[in-house]
Amino acid sequence: MGKLWAGRFQEDANELLDEFNASLPYDKTLWEEDIQGSIEHAKMLYFIGLLEIHELDSIVNGLNEIKQEILQGSFEFCIHDEDIHMAIEKALSNKIGNAGKKLHTARSRNDQVALDFTLYCRKHNILLQQLLSNLIATILYMAKKHTKTLMPGMTHLQHAQPISFGYHLVSWCMGLKRDIERLQYSMKLSDDCPLGSAALAGTPYGNERENLALSLGFKRASLNAMDSIGQRDFALDILYNIAMIMLHISRMAEELILWSSYEFKFITFSDSFSTGSSIMPQKKNPDVAELLRGKTGRTYGNLMSLLTTMKALPFAYNKDMQEDKECVFDSIKTASISIKILTESLKTLTINVDNMFKMCKKGHLVATDLADFLVKECNVAFREAHHITGICVQYAESKDKDLSQIDYKELCNILQNELELLIKKVNSNTNNIQTKINYEKLHEVLSLENSMQRRNSIGGCNSDEVKRQIHTLEQWLCQIA
């Protein structure tokens, strides 16, 4: 049998054109969605009186036989069939005869491919949500164990304030939560079924599109046929969503790479998720995290590829849109394996608690606490407190010590001297500064653990607050399950 569209052509297609034009080598990935759509379309044709019941049964049985052949690997894909849609239709007609030739009534490849591709993206949207949920659950399980494990919180990659490791892990989860919410929103945006739009202008057959949409898992039929076959927003949405997922994964991977280095030694990857060097026998490389970081770039490229393809197309279908699938298939595959391997590698991670605490004693993490102490206990304006604390930090560094390691009596003397100098500078009418330092309170303020626990505002790193954040996220996971 020749090409199904070849009636008006006098010459066969050039073999080079067949190779250039065909999408079958990659769009055969959509075979399951194509068969699903064809079965529901056939039922609709029977409903509106365009098929007899025996023809419907023949089509459905034939398509199910083709499904089994593909699953068993015995179905022969031929590049001359151009795409998965023609391949299945041709095989069906060869199998059941004239009834198979009726299947394409009241539809076009334009709405057929739009349907198949939308179904594929929706299916993998849900799978990505499930994988992300598992990743969040894994991270929260780790976070529960470390709500009191001190580590240096950083900004600009510099030591800033003491936080807990559990708190840091919860921050990872927030971006992943937004990723799931973006995927959920994309599902709502792709809830219009394109099948029945035909080439661009609808059909004269009176297709029962609303029930057809429901049978395929959509909420409704698309409103405008030209738009529904000529847009690929659903594909761009999943590409953007994946790019954001990989952005968050890449940032997590970057921290894991840093933390696993000898300079940090906060975590250790298990041997099962590490690799070695071909020349340096001592090496244990965090290649999983590095590949996660590296694969992010290809998902950005896939998004830009389709954006560029779509940016100047006239409305309705254009052959350029055949370039929409490979980038999506690749990004979905990349994101899926990335989320899976990150989840599994985290389960076997060793957390070096002692080294995290040791590193909290560097970088003057309690400096802000000292400034706050001066504000609350000595009635000093914050900017002045900030200045005095900076002088204390300079003193600590001159002694090659951390601020938390300075003798408290020594620190009290410095503070009292600076407070007395400040009194001389300010207007006597506002001279309410207290120069007497409460030694016990100062001792409490400069405790690393107390510093972490004091930050009990909503969203803070206090252990009970972090437990609340974990509980809130766990409840959310249960709601979306």
Side-chain angles (χ1 to χ4, degrees):
M1 182 187 295
K3 295 189 186 299
L4 300 182
W5 46 258
R8 62 92 67 217
F9 291 84
Q10 295 182 359
E11 299 178 12
D12 292 337
N14 185 283
E15 289 187 10
L16 186 60
L17 175 60
D18 279 342
E19 181 181 352
F20 184 67
N21 189 53
S23 58
L24 185 62
Y26 53 86
D27 74 11
K28 62 185 178 183
T29 302
L30 301 174
W31 68 266
E32 191 170 11
E33 288 76 17
D34 196 74
I35 289 174
Q36 177 189 0
S38 290
I39 288 175
E40 296 304 323
H41 180 69
K43 291 177 181 177
M44 187 276 299
L45 291 178
Y46 168 73
F47 181 78
I48 63 174
L50 294 179
L51 287 178
E52 301 293 334
I53 187 63
H54 69 275
E55 292 175 317
L56 172 62
D57 290 341
S58 182
I59 289 172
V60 172
N61 291 336
L63 288 170
N64 283 324
E65 287 179 19
I66 291 172
K67 179 178 181 178
Q68 290 305 312
E69 290 171 8
I70 295 175
L71 288 171
Q72 295 165 7
S74 60
F75 186 86
E76 184 178 352
F77 291 100
C78 177
I79 196 169
H80 294 293
D81 293 332
E82 293 187 15
D83 55 41
I84 188 61
H85 324 293
M86 294 294 97
I88 289 176
E89 183 180 336
K90 181 178 177 180
L92 179 66
S93 295
N94 288 341
K95 187 181 290 287
I96 69 172
N98 194 58
K101 298 178 181 179
K102 292 186 176 183
L103 177 60
H104 206 57
T105 307
R107 76 174 179 183
S108 162
R109 268 191 298 184
N110 292 356
D111 60 337
Q112 190 177 357
V113 68
L115 170 71
D116 295 357
F117 198 20
T118 304
L119 288 174
Y120 180 88
C121 289
R122 286 168 65 85
K123 177 174 72 177
H124 285 86
N125 179 310
I126 293 170
L127 291 174
L128 287 171
Q129 289 187 50
Q130 293 169 348
L131 291 174
L132 287 169
S133 295
N134 291 337
L135 176 55
I136 292 174
T138 297
I139 297 172
L140 291 178
Y141 179 78
M142 295 170 61
K144 280 183 178 180
K145 298 180 179 180
H146 295 284
T147 57
K148 294 184 179 180
T149 300
L150 285 173
M151 72 176 293
M154 298 186 182
T155 63
H156 307 276
L157 207 57
Q158 302 293 314
H159 288 212
Q161 292 177 328
I163 61 173
S164 71
F165 184 55
Y167 176 70
H168 194 119
L169 292 176
V170 172
S171 75
W172 284 5
C173 294
M174 300 311 299
L176 300 173
K177 177 178 181 286
R178 291 191 294 273
D179 291 331
I180 292 177
E181 290 169 338
R182 267 186 290 270
L183 288 165
Q184 291 173 329
Y185 183 63
S186 295
M187 284 291 286
K188 295 178 182 178
L189 291 178
S190 65
D191 236 340
D192 299 332
C193 179
L195 192 58
S197 297
L200 83 160
T203 78
Y205 292 97
N207 297 35
E208 218 304 306
R209 294 192 63 208
E210 289 297 340
N211 286 333
L212 180 60
L214 295 176
S215 71
L216 286 164
F218 296 90
K219 279 193 175 181
R220 57 194 160 265
S222 58
L223 182 63
N224 180 276
M226 179 180 285
D227 172 72
S228 61
I229 58 91
Q231 62 92 358
R232 288 296 182 267
D233 291 12
F234 61 90
L236 287 164
D237 283 344
I238 200 165
L239 286 175
Y240 173 74
N241 292 338
I242 288 173
M244 287 300 298
I245 291 167
M246 293 302 295
L247 180 151
H248 293 134
I249 287 177
S250 182
R251 294 184 70 185
M252 293 160 62
E254 171 69 8
E255 293 195 323
L256 290 170
I257 292 164
L258 289 171
W259 291 347
S260 67
S261 69
Y262 279 102
E263 285 70 25
F264 281 80
K265 273 221 168 212
F266 287 178
I267 58 107
T268 304
F269 282 101
S270 67
D271 289 354
S272 58
F273 287 99
S274 301
T275 61
S277 165
S278 64
I279 187 173
M280 294 170 284
Q282 84 281 11
K283 292 295 293 299
K284 184 177 180 181
N285 298 326
D287 279 7
V288 166
E290 290 177 348
L291 273 173
L292 289 172
R293 188 177 59 184
K295 286 182 179 293
T296 301
R298 72 190 293 155
T299 64
Y300 293 0
N302 288 334
L303 171 60
M304 291 308 302
S305 173
L306 187 53
L307 281 170
T308 304
T309 296
M310 296 298 299
K311 75 175 183 64
L313 297 185
F315 280 82
Y317 184 80
N318 300 270
K319 190 68 171 181
D320 315 49
M321 292 164 66
Q322 183 169 293
E323 293 297 306
D324 58 357
K325 298 172 192 64
E326 288 177 283
C327 53
V328 171
F329 296 160
D330 180 71
S331 280
I332 287 174
K333 180 181 178 181
T334 298
S336 297
I337 193 170
S338 295
I339 299 169
K340 288 177 185 176
I341 198 166
L342 177 58
T343 302
E344 294 305 310
S345 65
L346 289 176
K347 291 177 181 178
T348 62
L349 209 62
T350 299
I351 312 302
N352 303 324
V353 174
D354 291 341
N355 207 50
M356 284 185 177
F357 182 69
K358 177 182 175 182
M359 295 301 288
C360 284
K361 296 179 180 179
K362 297 183 178 182
H364 316 290
L365 298 185
V366 293
T368 306
D369 299 88
L370 179 55
D372 290 335
F373 171 82
L374 293 173
V375 170
K376 292 180 179 179
E377 299 296 325
C378 301
N379 199 32
V380 177
F382 180 77
R383 279 293 157 224
E384 297 292 355
H386 186 287
H387 177 75
I388 293 172
T389 301
I391 291 172
C392 294
V393 168
Q394 287 181 25
Y395 179 80
E397 290 189 343
S398 72
K399 298 294 184 180
D400 198 24
K401 291 183 179 181
D402 185 71
L403 184 61
S404 63
Q405 297 171 321
I406 297 296
D407 179 82
Y408 292 108
K409 291 182 179 179
E410 194 175 354
L411 188 58
C412 280
N413 290 331
I414 297 172
L415 292 174
Q416 286 176 343
N417 289 335
E418 291 300 323
L419 290 171
E420 288 172 0
L421 288 173
L422 180 61
I423 290 173
K424 295 177 180 178
K425 293 179 183 178
V426 298
N427 188 298
S428 58
N429 294 330
T430 60
N431 189 3
N432 297 316
I433 296 172
Q434 305 298 316
T435 60
K436 188 175 181 180
I437 303 297
N438 186 313
Y439 175 82
E440 294 300 327
K441 285 187 177 181
L442 181 62
H443 185 275
E444 291 177 5
V445 162
L446 297 184
S447 160
L448 290 164
E449 183 175 356
N450 288 345
S451 173
M452 183 264 286
Q453 296 292 11
R454 268 193 299 274
R455 287 168 169 75
N456 58 2
S457 58
I458 293 175
C461 63
N462 168 274
S463 294
D464 289 337
E465 170 58 18
V466 172
K467 290 176 183 176
R468 186 192 70 82
Q469 294 168 25
I470 292 170
H471 179 66
T472 300
L473 287 170
E474 287 179 330
Q475 285 186 314
W476 177 77
L477 285 177
C478 290
Q479 291 171 0
I480 67 171

